[in-house]
Structures are given as C-alpha cells and as structure tokens.
C-alpha cells in the first residue's frame, strides 16, 4: 500500500545486519522517461480513479488459488526487507545513493526493532514482545492510539497490524514454550519459521513451485552482488508491487463484525471506534474487530480469495485517505497506481519490454499490453508491465517468467 513517511519518522536499523543500499539489476538499460510518454500513458491518466487501471472485473477478478491473507503477508514481507523514507516522487533518485533502512535477509527486524537492549519499550523486560494494555487482541499503543512497534507501516491497515500482532504473539509463545525463555533462541526459531513460510508457501503460491525449484537448484542468473546483497529497484519499486493488484475493495474480518471497505471513500472520513466502517490503521482495535484468520488463510470453506494479479487496482487504492498519504495533497496524487508509476519514473526505471527482453522472457506486443486503451504506441512503465508480464492477458493467477524470477532471485538464500 505504501504511503509516505516523513524523514526521521522511521524504524530503527537492524542490529542483525548492516542496512544496505538500493541498486540496479539492469544498469545498462535506458530509462523510460515520463516526459517522453504520450498523454494517455502519463501516470496521472493511467492511475486516475476512473482510468484504465480501475478494477471493474467484479467476481471474475477473484483468484481463489491465493487466499486473501497472502496479500497482507506480502505487504508484511515488503516492510521487513525494504524501507526508504528519503526518496521523492517529484525528483530523480539515484538508487546507489538511497539507503535501505532494512536488510533483505528476512530477519523480522520490522517486528523485533533493534532488540530489547536498544528498544526496551517494545519488550516486557524478560524477552517477550508487549501487546496492548487493553488485551492481547491489539498491538502495543500509546494513549493517543499510535502504534509502538518496530515498523509504523505495519499499522497502515487493520489486517497487516493484526498480522504483526500474530508474529509478536508467536514469538512470546515460542519464548515461553520452546526456547526456555531465551530471547535469542526464540528469535532464531521464529525467524526460521517465517523464512520457511516465505520459501515453501508464499513464493510457490505467487511464482509457482516449478520456478522456485528451478532457481533453488540452478541459482540466480540476473541478480548478483559482490559482498553484501542489495535491494534492486526493479524489484522494490516495480516487480513486488504486483501485490497491489491482489487487494480486494473490502474484507470480512470475522463472522460477528462482518466486513468493511479497506479505506473510506473520503480522504478525512471520521472514525467510529464502536463500528467497523473501514479498515484503516492508526487507531486501537476493538476486541470484537479482531481478525479471524480462518477467513484469510487455508483451504477451508469461507476463505476469501485475493484478486487476480494484473494491472487493475480496486477503487480504495485509487483514492488513498489521509492516514496513508499526507493530508492536503491533490486528489490525483492520492492514487496508488499513479504514485507507483511516478516512483518508477523518479528512479529512472527502464521499460517493462526492455527488461523482459533482457531476461529472456516473452515480450508483449503493444496490443497485448495496452488492450483497448487508445493512443498507446509506447513501451510500458515497469510498474505497469509487471502486472501483465508473461501472462499475456491482464487476468492472471500469478506473475510468471521474468518477474516471478525477479521475486525469487531478489531474496537472498536464508
């Protein structure tokens, strides 16, 4: 979902590895300049609330092969491996000069912060992560309702905050029952379980088991580093944002509370703590609004599906509220689709076709890529291309070939 955070309002650096830099997987490819795009391909036009990227597929846009919970698990992983509070949408950014305040090693520093010695206020003094003083149905918050956690982005919406809570409670259970109340041992076991889920459940669902097996057996072909792994902007700024297309307009939280929109239709809509009107974060969660994960994960009846991975975003993401983006910005700047495309341009990403050709993937024709959008004799920005890559049609179960390989290869082996 990726809003915008002020400089200085950023989580602590990991003590388990040095935060690194961003970099390019394909530095030799020429960038696709926003100024060179025709008007219909400009970010403001493509990402408009009523533009061609709006999800209007209704039920046929559902993807039952990937339960809805994996959408937010992907967001949780993203917050664990990337954090960039310094770059700008309005100016060019050199990825080699932008610091990643995370390390791409899947170590859960978004949950653990800098550890109990450096951030004791996250812990109970013995090694357990603190949860809400009102009960263990919510994350730790101050008296203003602001989350006190290792990464403030994990309180962007109710579902990802509940996922953060689940990992905190899992750590506490492992600490008490499996690790002999040894913090480092509990942390090690929790990390291993998390890394196992990413490798053996999340990536196969997203990329396909055959592709994951191929890369684990035969290694990487495009992502290389000399000493320390870096975070490729082709991945963080473009490829991994396919998850935005998986987001539903709303979700059923549990059987009692029912469902609600992800975000309100008004930028500054008032909150009602007693009623589940929308799923914005940044406020205490009532016990009756606790997420029932049986409706988000697993193969049972009643599990909500994600949306198909394509170029379309639901209307909640095409008009982000003040809790996600800075208050007072123009309406056109509230579209996540527009923000993604502008960020790609700000990092001088190449076109999606040139990246696909470089990786040996199928290069979509203009007709296959743009469909019924008129006036598009132009290459596609990478964030747009990653939604259609190698499925050829804008309705696919998973990103395949080039971008799926990028997703696996960009995560160093644990």
């Amino acid at each position: 979902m990726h809003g915008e955070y002020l400089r200085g309002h950023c989580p602590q650096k990991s003590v388990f590895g040095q935060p690194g830099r961003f970099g390019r997987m394909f530095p030799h490819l020429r960038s696709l300049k926003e100024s060179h795009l025709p008007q219909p391909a400009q970010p403001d036009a493509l990402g408009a609330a009523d533009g061609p990227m709006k999800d209007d597929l209704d039920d046929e846009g559902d993807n039952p092969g990937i339960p809805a919970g994996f959408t937010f698990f992907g967001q949780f992983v993203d917050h664990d491996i990337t954090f960039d509070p310094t770059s700008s949408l309005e100016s060019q950014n050199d990825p080699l000069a932008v610091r990643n305040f995370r390390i791409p090693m899947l170590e859960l520093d978004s949950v653990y912060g800098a550890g109990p010695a450096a951030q004791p206020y996250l812990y109970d003094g013995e090694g357990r992560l603190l949860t809400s003083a009102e009960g263990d149905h919510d994350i730790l918050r101050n008296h203003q309702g602001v989350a006190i956690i290792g990464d403030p982005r994990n309180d962007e919406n109710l579902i990802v905050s509940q996922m953060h809570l689940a990992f905190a409670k899992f750590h506490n259970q492992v600490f008490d029952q499996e690790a002999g109340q040894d913090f480092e041992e509990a942390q090690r076991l929790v990390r291993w379980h998390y890394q196992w889920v990413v490798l053996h459940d999340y990536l196969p669902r997203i990329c396909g088991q055959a592709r994951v097996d191929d890369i684990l057996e035969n290694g990487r072909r495009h992502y290389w580093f000399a000493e320390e792994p870096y975070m490729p902007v082709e991945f963080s700024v473009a490829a991994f944002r396919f998850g935005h297309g998986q987001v539903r307009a709303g979700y059923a939280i549990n059987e009692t509370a029912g469902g609600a929109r992800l975000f309100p239709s008004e930028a500054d809509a008032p909150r009602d703590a007693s009623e589940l009107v929308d799923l914005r974060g940044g406020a205490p969660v009532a016990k009756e609004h606790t997420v029932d994960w049986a409706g988000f994960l697993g193969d049972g009846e009643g599990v909500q599906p994600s949306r198909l991975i394509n170029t379309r975003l639901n209307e909640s993401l095409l008009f982000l509220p003040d809790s996600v983006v800075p208050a007072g910005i123009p309406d056109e700047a509230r579209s996540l689709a527009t923000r993604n495309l502008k960020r790609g341009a700000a990092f001088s990403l190449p076109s999606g076709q040139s990246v696909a050709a470089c990786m040996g993937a199928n290069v979509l024709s203009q007709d296959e890529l743009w469909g019924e959008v008129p006036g598009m004799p132009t290459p596609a920005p990478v964030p747009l291309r990653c939604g259609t890559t190698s499925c050829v049609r804008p309705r696919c179960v998973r990103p395949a070939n080039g971008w799926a390989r990028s997703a696996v290869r960009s995560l160093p082996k644990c």
Side-chain angles (χ1 to χ4, degrees):
M1 276 45 106
H2 309 286
E4 187 170 292
Y5 288 85
L6 300 177
R7 298 188 186 193
H9 184 203
C10 49
Q12 295 291 322
K13 296 181 290 185
S14 171
V15 297
F16 313 115
Q18 292 299 316
R21 299 285 182 182
F22 290 90
R24 297 187 188 277
M25 291 175 67
F26 307 103
H28 57 287
L29 295 182
R30 187 169 66 177
S31 64
L32 180 62
K33 301 293 186 182
E34 182 178 346
S35 59
H36 295 170
L37 297 173
Q39 176 55 34
Q42 290 288 324
D44 289 341
L46 283 177
D50 57 351
M53 295 184 71
K54 181 181 179 180
D55 183 355
D56 57 2
L57 297 179
D58 297 323
D59 290 345
E60 66 179 344
D62 284 346
N63 183 3
I66 303 179
F70 284 96
T71 303
F72 297 92
F73 183 73
Q75 184 184 20
F76 181 85
V77 170
D78 176 52
H79 294 173
D80 185 42
I81 61 177
T82 67
F83 188 68
D84 165 27
T86 61
S87 65
S88 169
L89 296 182
E90 306 303 328
S91 61
Q92 292 297 303
N93 299 283
D94 178 5
L96 299 179
V98 177
R99 177 175 290 275
N100 181 14
F101 285 78
R102 288 282 177 258
I103 56 172
M105 298 299 289
L106 298 172
E107 293 194 331
L108 286 176
D109 48 316
S110 59
V111 173
Y112 289 115
Q119 290 185 292
Y121 49 85
L122 297 180
Y123 297 86
D124 69 350
E126 297 183 8
R128 302 175 191 86
L129 285 157
L130 291 171
T131 57
S132 172
E134 304 300 321
D136 64 356
H137 62 275
D138 192 14
I139 55 180
L140 180 66
R141 299 180 184 276
N142 65 15
H143 68 282
Q144 295 176 316
V146 177
I148 306 175
I149 53 178
D151 191 324
R153 297 173 299 170
N154 280 354
D155 193 31
E156 183 198 73
N157 61 74
L158 184 148
I159 302 172
V160 77
S161 77
Q162 289 276 289
M163 184 162 289
H164 183 106
L165 174 67
F167 274 92
K169 293 170 70 173
F170 179 53
H171 165 86
N172 293 345
Q173 184 171 1
V174 171
F175 179 83
D176 284 327
Q177 300 183 13
E178 302 293 337
Q181 298 190 340
D182 181 314
F183 173 79
E184 292 187 356
E185 176 65 10
Q187 184 184 61
R188 182 175 66 90
L189 292 173
V190 171
R191 281 185 188 157
W192 280 359
H193 281 78
Y194 167 59
Q195 292 165 355
W196 192 96
V197 170
V198 171
L199 184 60
H200 295 286
D201 199 353
Y202 178 68
L203 285 176
R205 288 178 185 269
I206 297 298
C207 304
Q209 187 64 60
R211 187 157 291 105
V212 173
D213 291 343
D214 173 65
I215 293 170
L216 292 177
E217 181 177 350
N218 300 313
R220 300 182 295 265
R221 290 192 305 180
H222 301 284
Y223 173 57
W224 302 104
F225 51 88
E227 296 179 0
E228 294 293 328
Y230 67 93
M231 178 53 62
V233 290
E234 295 92 340
F235 175 75
S236 62
V237 177
F240 204 17
R241 300 192 178 220
F242 71 79
H244 296 157
Q246 295 181 286
V247 178
R248 304 181 64 83
Y251 295 88
I253 296 304
N254 59 53
E255 291 185 357
T256 303
R261 287 174 57 99
L262 181 64
F263 295 132
S265 57
E266 299 178 8
D268 57 350
R271 294 178 183 269
D272 185 345
S274 63
E275 186 178 356
L276 192 66
V277 178
D278 59 73
L279 305 181
R280 279 176 294 176
V285 176
K287 189 171 185 178
E288 56 268 26
H289 298 162
T290 301
V291 168
D292 180 359
W293 291 111
F296 287 84
L297 298 168
D299 301 318
E301 185 177 350
V303 175
Q304 299 165 92
S306 64
R307 299 292 283 175
L308 292 171
I309 297 170
N310 56 29
T311 60
R312 300 171 184 264
L313 276 65
N314 77 72
E315 60 181 2
S316 289
L317 300 184
L318 297 179
F319 190 80
L320 298 173
D322 289 348
S323 61
V324 179
V325 296
I329 65 172
D331 286 355
E332 58 269 20
R334 293 183 177 276
S335 166
L336 182 58
T338 295
R339 298 175 72 82
N340 284 343
L341 294 167
K342 282 187 172 292
R343 187 170 296 278
F347 275 92
S348 300
L349 294 185
S351 72
Q353 287 97 319
S354 62
V355 172
C358 187
M359 298 184 74
N362 295 330
V363 179
L364 302 185
S365 69
Q366 298 295 78
D367 290 341
E368 291 171 330
L369 182 63
W370 293 112
E372 299 178 357
V373 181
M376 291 298 197
T378 180
V382 171
L384 178 69
R385 161 78 194 209
C386 75
T388 55
T389 293
S390 71
C391 66
V392 182
R393 299 287 181 268
R395 304 180 185 185
C396 54
V397 173
R398 60 173 62 97
N401 218 340
W403 285 116
R405 290 182 177 276
S406 173
V408 181
R409 287 174 179 143
S410 297
L411 297 178
K413 293 182 180 179
C414 304

